[in-house]
């Protein structure tokens, strides 16, 4: 569900029981993105799920909350692995093209509501983010609104943006010779290996 009141935004598995935190301290209604990232990381940490997304004991779903019944299914895992793989491929290809390793990055900016609630360690563990040093990861908040405001109020910022836009290069991930191999690796719930 979207990041709204009642969305599970954080998950920890303690003694076989899921401890959850919901937006707005409301009763749970579903799981939003940051909660899913935590859930996947917890399932991997406690070996309730393999790196390929198979649940222990061949279960087809895991109950996260008893009442109301909120579950996480193998189908959910499949959808998430595909979405995660797309971002993993992008990060790997860009690092490779620039000749960089994650440790070489000065900053990794995360923007938007999802990024604000995201447990970066969990995101790195499941391969959603490259393993950059945690102290170099910056949460930019709602960057679209603050950026639009800055551009409306400053000619200098508009000129800076214009210069940056002229340097942008489009990279077609699917044109990479090893795209399929990178995508398949990206579907695994394990840290990204650049």
């Amino acid at each position: 569900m979207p990041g709204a009141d009642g969305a599970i935004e954080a998950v920890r598995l303690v003694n076989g029981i899921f401890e959850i935190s919901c937006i707005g301290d409301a009763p749970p209604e579903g799981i939003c993105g940051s909660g899913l990232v935590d859930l996947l990381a917890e399932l991997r940490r406690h070996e309730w799920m393999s790196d390929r997304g198979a649940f222990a004991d061949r279960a087809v779903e895991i109950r996260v909350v008893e009442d109301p019944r909120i579950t996480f299914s193998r189908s959910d895992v499949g959808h998430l692995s595909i979405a995660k793989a797309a971002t993993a491929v992008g990060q790997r290809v860009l690092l490779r093209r620039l000749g960089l390793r994650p440790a070489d990055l000065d900053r990794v900016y995360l923007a938007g509501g999802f990024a604000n609630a995201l447990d970066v360690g969990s995101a790195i563990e499941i391969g959603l983010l490259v393993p950059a040093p945690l102290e170099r990861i910056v949460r930019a908040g709602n960057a679209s609104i603050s950026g639009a405001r800055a551009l409306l109020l400053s000619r200098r910022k508009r000129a800076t943006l214009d210069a940056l836009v002229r340097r942008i290069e489009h990279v077609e991930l699917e044109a990479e010779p090893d795209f399929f191999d990178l995508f398949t690796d990206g579907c695994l719930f394990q840290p990204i290996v650049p």
Side-chain angles (χ1 to χ4, degrees), residues 1-9 22-23 27-36 70:
M1 72 176 278
D5 286 354
I8 298 170
E9 66 177 341
C22 294
I23 296 174
E29 294 180 23
I31 309 173
C32 67
S34 60
L36 289 169
I70 298 174

Side-chain angles (χ1 to χ4, degrees), residues 16 39 44 48 66 122 134 160 180:
L39 179 59
R44 289 288 300 125
W48 285 25
E66 290 293 327
S122 291
L134 294 179
T160 300
F180 183 75

Side-chain angles (χ1 to χ4, degrees), residues 53-66:
F55 294 150
D57 300 328
R58 298 183 184 200
V60 294
E61 71 178 19
I62 292 173
R63 192 169 297 182
V64 179
V65 176
E66 290 293 327

Side-chain angles (χ1 to χ4, degrees), residues 14 33 36 46 54 69 74 86 91 99 119 140 179 181:
V14 179
L36 289 169
H46 295 275
R69 187 171 187 261
R74 283 280 297 126
Q91 292 171 79
D119 181 305
F179 171 78
D181 293 333

Side-chain angles (χ1 to χ4, degrees), residues 105-155:
L105 300 172
D106 291 332
R107 296 278 181 278
V108 175
Y109 291 97
L110 303 177
F114 171 62
N116 283 335
L118 183 68
D119 181 305
V120 173
S122 291
I124 289 171
E125 283 182 50
I126 66 164
L128 181 63
L129 291 175
V130 292
L134 294 179
E135 67 275 5
R136 296 184 192 167
I137 297 176
V138 177
R139 296 174 198 275
N142 192 336
S144 61
I145 289 175
S146 59
R149 183 180 322 120
L151 293 174
L152 287 171
L153 298 174
S154 171
R155 285 190 175 107

